[in-house]
Amino acid sequence: MTTHITQKVIGIDLGGTNTRAGLVDESGRISKRAQAKTPHAASAGDIVDVVIGLIKNVNDPGAPAKKVGIGAASVIDFQDLRKSMWPNLPGLQGHDFVGEIADKTGLIVTIENDANAAVIGERWQGAAKGTQNAVGITLGTGVGGGIIINGELVRGASGSAGEIGHICVDPNGPLCGCGSTGCLEQYSSATAVVRITKEILASFPESPLHSKLELDAKDVFDAALGGDLAGIKVFEEAGRYLGIACAALVNLLNPEVIVVMGGLAGAWNLMGQSSREELQKRAFQQAVERVNIVRGVLGDDAGILGAAKLTFADMRFSGS
Ligand SMILES: [Zn+2]
């Protein structure tokens, strides 16, 4: 009898709300999972403790993993990790987060932006499998992005490439957290869906959304599925602006696939048509015919798998 011991690593998706971990083998199978709430407004130490707790939780004591990959809601600066920006986890600002986890666990720790990790995950095991030129867009509380060209993740000069959420889709639009105005994130994120609904609701006196005291994007989604015209219009608008950004991406990068991921991707059926119409209007026909815009298929696993894949590929290390 022969036994083949497959190498396993730990993939972590560190988000502003939840942190998820999985023990991942080379074939992309997740054999053990754990998750925890990301400590809100916490210090770096609290977040480090949660991540280390999850690592211990999923690791296999019999054959412990030696590497951990973290996909994080951060604009990573690979030249100096302390200069990475943490808009949703300000407690980590200025900290050597990766070095601390490496020191305390003895593991080799890799870090990558969460949307970059997610598109790598979808290309490894999901909707972008077999492609060489893929763009991922994560629609959640904010909007993130990741770009793969000729099979390689595009990181740029310091690591912040692919911030698709901050493509300007209307120079006269609302102020964005990044300091610019009219960014995609202000139209096609869960936060934007709530804002736009509140802006237009007065024109829809029949809408059931008037009865909601604390409106969230799920309420708007449910109303739209039930035929509510306000909800339908909001998602059409979100799709339209997403299509404007996609036209820029298609003209610039000529991708084979654009994968729409994140919590709001569940509403893709309500956004897809207006999105494709804008893309048709604005991008080169030959490039439009080449690209598929699809919903991701891995859900919350995309980030875990992508972070794990990066460690298998030895693509970026810090600390050991
Ligand atoms: Zn912005």
Side-chain angles (χ1 to χ4, degrees):
M1 196 175 80
T2 58
T3 51
H4 174 65
I5 298 170
T6 54
Q7 194 197 347
K8 287 181 181 173
V9 300
I10 294 164
I12 291 183
D13 182 14
L14 171 61
T17 310
N18 291 301
T19 302
R20 300 182 177 88
L23 186 64
V24 182
D25 70 21
E26 285 162 300
S27 66
R29 201 174 68 92
I30 303 177
S31 53
K32 211 170 164 193
R33 295 161 201 270
Q35 75 169 63
K37 287 264 172 244
T38 309
H40 195 65
S43 68
D46 294 337
I47 298 170
V48 167
D49 287 347
V50 164
V51 170
I52 291 174
L54 289 172
I55 290 171
K56 286 183 178 152
N57 208 320
V58 299
N59 212 349
D60 178 355
K66 295 186 178 63
K67 296 177 185 175
V68 54
I70 302 172
S74 170
V75 182
I76 312 277
D77 186 328
F78 285 110
Q79 290 171 332
D80 183 351
L81 287 175
R82 287 169 198 266
K83 289 185 182 161
S84 299
M85 291 190 291
W86 298 88
N88 298 312
L89 296 166
L92 291 177
Q93 198 65 49
H95 279 267
D96 182 12
F97 172 62
V98 169
E100 262 185 60
I101 292 174
D103 286 347
K104 289 188 173 169
T105 61
L107 296 167
I108 299 170
V109 184
T110 308
I111 194 160
E112 186 51 77
N113 167 267
D114 54 355
N116 286 353
V119 71
I120 287 170
E122 288 285 350
R123 179 169 177 259
W124 187 27
Q125 297 291 332
K129 223 172 176 174
T131 63
Q132 290 299 307
N133 300 284
V135 174
I137 306 178
T138 56
L139 308 179
T141 310
V143 174
I147 297 167
I148 293 168
I149 294 295
N150 298 330
E152 295 284 340
L153 183 68
V154 176
R155 288 199 174 89
S158 60
S160 75
E163 286 293 339
I164 293 168
H166 302 281
I167 291 178
C168 180
V169 290
D170 179 358
N172 301 313
L175 184 66
C176 183
C178 75
S180 181
T181 54
C183 294
L184 177 64
E185 185 165 290
Q186 297 306 316
Y187 298 94
S188 307
S189 62
T191 317
V193 160
V194 172
R195 191 200 78 238
I196 295 168
T197 304
K198 287 176 177 167
E199 284 170 6
I200 67 161
L201 206 51
S203 310
F204 295 86
E206 308 287 310
S207 173
L209 292 169
H210 285 284
S211 65
K212 295 283 175 189
L213 290 175
E214 274 196 44
L215 197 66
D216 64 22
K218 178 77 165 59
D219 295 328
V220 185
F221 175 64
D222 290 341
L225 283 186
D228 175 50
L229 295 178
I232 289 170
K233 185 173 168 59
V234 169
F235 281 104
E236 272 176 7
E237 285 291 284
R240 206 162 72 74
Y241 285 101
L242 183 61
I244 295 172
C246 284
L249 293 164
V250 164
N251 279 344
L252 192 67
L253 303 168
N254 189 199
E256 297 154 69
V257 64
I258 296 175
V259 186
V260 181
M261 305 172 286
L264 213 61
W268 174 242
N269 286 346
L270 298 166
M271 297 187 277
Q273 191 186 337
S274 56
S275 197
R276 288 195 177 93
E277 280 169 11
E278 285 299 325
L279 176 63
Q280 285 281 356
K281 264 197 280 187
R282 295 173 190 277
F284 286 117
Q285 194 56 36
Q286 166 265 9
V288 172
E289 282 168 13
R290 189 68 181 82
V291 70
N292 281 319
I293 308 184
V294 297
R295 192 181 150 185
V297 297
L298 299 175
D300 291 338
D301 286 348
I304 292 173
L305 287 168
K309 178 66 177 168
L310 282 160
T311 73
F312 282 127
D314 282 356
M315 285 170 82
R316 185 72 66 170
F317 290 142
S318 175
S320 61

